[in-house]
Amino acid sequence: MKPTTGPITILLYLLFYLTLAAQNDIPSRITERSQHFATNITKENIKEVLSLFDKGATILPEYHNSLNGRLAIGEYYEAFFEKTSTSKFSKTPFEIQAIGALYLELGTFEHIYETPQGKEFEYIGKYSTYWTISDRGEPQVMAHIWGASNYFAAENVDFIKVETEKSKVMEPVTVLEKKIEEHRKLVYDAVLSRDAKKQLTSYAKDAIYMTYYDPPFVGKDQITDYFNAHNNPDAPLESLMTKVVKVIDLDLYTLRFGEYYVEWIYEGNRFFITGKGLTLLKNSENGPLLIYRQMINHSIPATPIHQADKLRVKELLLHLDDQDIDIDAYLSVYIDDGLLVMPPGHERIRHKDDFKSYLRSERQKGHLTIEHFAHEIQSLNTIVLVSGGSTGQFKPLDKTGTYSFETNNLMVLERTIDGQLKVAKLIWNLGANEKK
């Protein structure tokens, strides 16, 4: 008997071909929605711009920290529209491809706008966008990073400040995460030692690398030329930190969100910079992970180290003012090994655990209100010297009175590998105006 095609079979075939057609149509939908983004940047239509982003999207703007979620992304674009006036924004995709459950769009852009200083700025650059497909089948931006293709004055872009939280380092747990961490260490060692040959082993032959102040480098030959030219023996690296923030498993690929900190000396002056990036790696069951698509940018302009030290010292002193936080959290700004603390009327404290016991004992005696200040900050290669003092009040638990005090302080702060400052040595004595 000849088999017949029933209505259920026909329906299944129809659904299959409709699904296939929809999947094949996604690149054109991405192109359409990408142009919709460009149109509404020009119109400064915040509602339409945000409609293109997934609820949990991340953007990585040039000269700004990463921003997570529509609320923060909305704050960024609202501030940009308020401070500028756009006359043109255009995008030209040169690659759209399926990457696991996501789609990757690479392209170039031209953005002409009037800056807060009243100058017309032509912002020419490139971008990398990862799209997810919503429950309604519409492409939405999951991650978006962009940056200039040539050098420009930072003031033309560095004028948006949206508050962000410090990102956490990913703790590798899964086999894939541990493999990603090993890959990070390989690249870290190569960059720190200025070993371009070793660094290039982490890239696939058909890789595309998009870095700051340059157009995209397509293929390993162009990437090789860039790294060979970029290694500058006249600007040795003094400190380097790289960290993985998040990893997304995409079956044959892995998307890595990362951040970096670099410190270097040039013509006798010390500088630092921070940045972030999106790296798409090819997975292989037995072979090494290879970078397939990568884009990075700066989160701040290159900055003389002494300027950053002033801000870091201010943040550290504000941390020391907070006497109500947990003692372990309070001690997070002190080094773990080699600590030396010299309180008035007390023997030297040489270990962090002993200092913890001292602080616990002091808190049991009463409540302290204190405000630290700095008179002088001196930045050296590996340490920062801070001379200053504090004023405050101490209220004993027995409520017999409140004691006002002043102190003179001297702190030695050590630089960490990721550019933080931590208290290594602290000495203080009571000033002349202590009174009840």
Side-chain angles (χ1 to χ4, degrees):
M1 179 181 292
K2 184 176 180 181
T4 59
T5 303
I8 295 178
T9 304
I10 292 174
L11 180 60
L12 290 174
Y13 276 123
L14 180 61
L15 290 173
F16 171 77
Y17 284 113
L18 286 175
T19 301
L20 185 62
Q23 290 176 341
N24 291 336
D25 188 51
I26 287 176
S28 63
R29 289 288 294 129
I30 287 175
T31 300
E32 177 185 323
R33 289 174 73 80
S34 186
Q35 295 309 314
H36 188 65
F37 175 85
T39 297
N40 285 284
I41 289 290
T42 304
K43 292 181 178 180
E44 299 184 355
N45 188 331
I46 185 66
K47 183 178 179 181
E48 286 300 311
V49 169
L50 288 181
S51 71
L52 295 167
F53 287 90
D54 180 70
K55 184 178 180 181
T58 297
I59 63 170
L60 298 85
E62 189 160 36
Y63 288 156
H64 199 287
N65 291 335
S66 297
L67 295 166
N68 300 305
R70 280 193 196 139
L71 180 61
I73 294 171
E75 288 183 35
Y76 179 87
Y77 282 111
E78 283 180 342
F80 184 86
F81 293 155
E82 181 181 343
K83 293 176 180 290
T84 65
S85 178
T86 293
S87 58
K88 178 183 178 181
F89 188 93
S90 62
K91 297 177 71 179
T92 306
F94 62 79
E95 176 179 275
I96 298 177
Q97 62 169 312
I99 302 292
L102 303 178
Y103 284 80
L104 170 61
E105 175 194 1
L106 302 180
T108 58
F109 70 86
E110 181 183 14
H111 192 177
I112 301 176
Y113 57 86
E114 185 178 284
T115 71
Q117 293 79 28
K119 300 177 182 178
E120 184 178 83
F121 176 55
E122 187 177 20
Y123 193 11
I124 296 176
K126 66 278 181 188
Y127 65 89
S128 176
T129 306
Y130 288 84
W131 297 81
T132 185
I133 307 303
S134 71
D135 295 337
R136 295 178 299 166
E138 286 291 341
Q140 287 191 300
V141 175
M142 187 276 293
H144 178 50
I145 182 173
W146 67 91
S149 291
N150 46 56
Y151 182 77
F152 63 94
E155 65 180 16
N156 291 310
V157 173
D158 184 30
F159 51 81
I160 306 296
K161 303 296 180 187
V162 177
E163 186 174 347
T164 60
E165 294 183 358
K166 186 177 180 180
S167 60
K168 297 180 180 179
V169 178
M170 181 199 74
E171 296 293 338
V173 176
T174 67
V175 172
L176 177 60
E177 289 171 347
K178 291 177 180 178
K179 201 170 183 179
I180 291 289
E181 178 60 14
E182 290 175 1
H183 184 275
R184 183 202 65 81
K185 289 179 180 178
L186 181 147
V187 176
Y188 171 89
D189 291 339
V191 174
L192 189 60
S193 61
R194 294 300 182 98
D195 188 341
K197 185 176 181 180
K198 182 178 180 181
Q199 186 176 359
L200 285 163
T201 62
S202 65
Y203 287 86
K205 290 183 179 180
D206 55 349
I208 295 179
Y209 178 58
M210 300 196 291
T211 186
Y212 45 87
Y213 309 147
D214 275 301
F217 296 106
V218 180
K220 198 166 183 178
D221 288 344
Q222 288 189 10
I223 298 172
T224 298
D225 291 341
Y226 169 79
F227 280 125
N228 286 336
H230 192 64
N231 285 329
N232 184 359
D234 295 327
L237 297 185
E238 290 295 302
S239 182
L240 173 69
M241 180 279 293
T242 61
K243 67 180 180 182
V244 178
V245 175
K246 183 171 68 172
V247 164
I248 298 177
D249 188 352
L250 298 169
D251 192 19
L252 299 179
Y253 299 89
T254 299
L255 178 59
R256 182 184 73 197
F257 293 69
E259 296 181 2
Y260 64 87
Y261 170 93
V262 183
E263 208 173 284
W264 71 98
I265 293 176
Y266 182 68
E267 294 183 347
N269 297 310
R270 196 182 191 98
F271 298 87
F272 84 102
I273 204 159
T274 64
K276 70 263 178 217
L278 297 175
T279 301
L280 185 66
L281 299 112
K282 284 185 177 181
N283 299 333
S284 59
E285 190 171 339
N286 300 315
L289 293 172
L290 293 174
I291 297 172
Y292 178 57
R293 299 288 184 264
Q294 184 176 50
M295 182 165 181
I296 63 174
N297 64 21
H298 293 326
S299 297
I300 61 170
T303 306
I305 197 73
H306 64 84
Q307 292 184 19
D309 285 346
K310 291 181 180 179
L311 294 175
R312 290 177 183 139
V313 169
K314 181 179 179 180
E315 292 175 355
L316 188 145
L317 295 183
L318 287 173
H319 179 90
L320 296 180
D321 290 346
D322 190 350
Q323 296 295 311
D324 295 319
I325 62 173
D326 177 79
I327 289 180
D328 286 326
Y330 182 83
L331 287 170
S332 64
V333 297
Y334 289 81
I335 63 172
D336 292 324
D337 299 314
L339 179 66
L340 174 62
V341 181
M342 301 173 66
H346 194 281
E347 62 185 10
R348 296 182 182 185
I349 300 173
R350 293 187 175 275
H351 301 285
K352 199 169 185 177
D353 287 342
D354 293 337
F355 189 41
K356 181 177 180 179
S357 298
Y358 169 83
L359 292 175
R360 185 182 293 114
S361 174
E362 290 298 303
R363 287 191 178 188
Q364 289 172 352
K365 296 176 183 177
H367 186 266
L368 178 68
T369 302
I370 192 169
E371 182 178 355
H372 292 82
F373 55 86
H375 289 309
E376 183 180 357
I377 300 172
Q378 186 176 1
S379 297
L380 304 175
N381 281 348
T382 59
I383 63 172
V384 174
L385 299 178
V386 181
S387 61
S390 69
T391 60
Q393 292 183 329
F394 180 75
K395 187 173 184 178
L397 291 179
D398 60 14
K399 300 181 181 179
T400 56
T402 298
Y403 296 84
S404 298
F405 63 86
E406 294 181 3
T407 70
N408 301 307
N409 300 354
L410 179 63
M411 287 192 290
V412 178
L413 309 178
E414 285 190 5
R415 301 186 190 280
T416 65
I417 194 170
D418 60 350
Q420 297 183 61
L421 295 176
K422 292 200 173 187
V423 181
K425 294 176 176 58
L426 170 61
I427 180 173
W428 74 94
N429 57 43
L430 295 175
N433 296 325
E434 183 189 2
K435 58 185 177 180
K436 183 175 180 179

PDB file of all heavy atoms in Angstrom, residues 6 28 48 61 267:
ATOM      1  N   GLY A   6      -0.642  12.568   5.682  1.00  0.00           N
ATOM      2  CA  GLY A   6      -1.770  13.062   6.448  1.00  0.00           C
ATOM      3  C   GLY A   6      -1.626  14.516   6.812  1.00  0.00           C
ATOM      4  O   GLY A   6      -0.563  15.121   6.636  1.00  0.00           O
ATOM      5  N   SER A  28      18.887  39.343   8.169  1.00  0.00           N
ATOM      6  CA  SER A  28      18.284  40.538   7.572  1.00  0.00           C
ATOM      7  C   SER A  28      17.515  41.328   8.616  1.00  0.00           C
ATOM      8  O   SER A  28      17.485  42.570   8.579  1.00  0.00           O
ATOM      9  CB  SER A  28      17.357  40.146   6.408  1.00  0.00           C
ATOM     10  OG  SER A  28      16.280  39.343   6.867  1.00  0.00           O
ATOM     11  N   GLU A  48      12.979  54.314  21.661  1.00  0.00           N
ATOM     12  CA  GLU A  48      13.233  53.368  20.566  1.00  0.00           C
ATOM     13  C   GLU A  48      14.614  52.734  20.682  1.00  0.00           C
ATOM     14  O   GLU A  48      14.799  51.563  20.370  1.00  0.00           O
ATOM     15  CB  GLU A  48      13.082  54.077  19.218  1.00  0.00           C
ATOM     16  CG  GLU A  48      11.655  54.381  18.833  1.00  0.00           C
ATOM     17  CD  GLU A  48      10.816  53.107  18.720  1.00  0.00           C
ATOM     18  OE1 GLU A  48      11.268  52.159  18.063  1.00  0.00           O
ATOM     19  OE2 GLU A  48       9.717  53.069  19.302  1.00  0.00           O
ATOM     20  N   PRO A  61      30.909  51.027  26.639  1.00  0.00           N
ATOM     21  CA  PRO A  61      31.231  52.260  25.910  1.00  0.00           C
ATOM     22  C   PRO A  61      32.722  52.575  25.982  1.00  0.00           C
ATOM     23  O   PRO A  61      33.410  52.218  26.942  1.00  0.00           O
ATOM     24  CB  PRO A  61      30.421  53.331  26.651  1.00  0.00           C
ATOM     25  CG  PRO A  61      29.474  52.586  27.549  1.00  0.00           C
ATOM     26  CD  PRO A  61      30.136  51.287  27.852  1.00  0.00           C
ATOM     27  N   GLU A 267      59.164  58.062  29.184  1.00  0.00           N
ATOM     28  CA  GLU A 267      59.939  59.292  29.346  1.00  0.00           C
ATOM     29  C   GLU A 267      59.978  59.742  30.803  1.00  0.00           C
ATOM     30  O   GLU A 267      59.834  60.923  31.124  1.00  0.00           O
ATOM     31  CB  GLU A 267      59.376  60.406  28.447  1.00  0.00           C
ATOM     32  CG  GLU A 267      59.531  60.104  26.957  1.00  0.00           C
ATOM     33  CD  GLU A 267      59.043  61.235  26.078  1.00  0.00           C
ATOM     34  OE1 GLU A 267      58.371  62.144  26.607  1.00  0.00           O
ATOM     35  OE2 GLU A 267      59.338  61.210  24.870  1.00  0.00           O
TER      36      GLU A 267
END
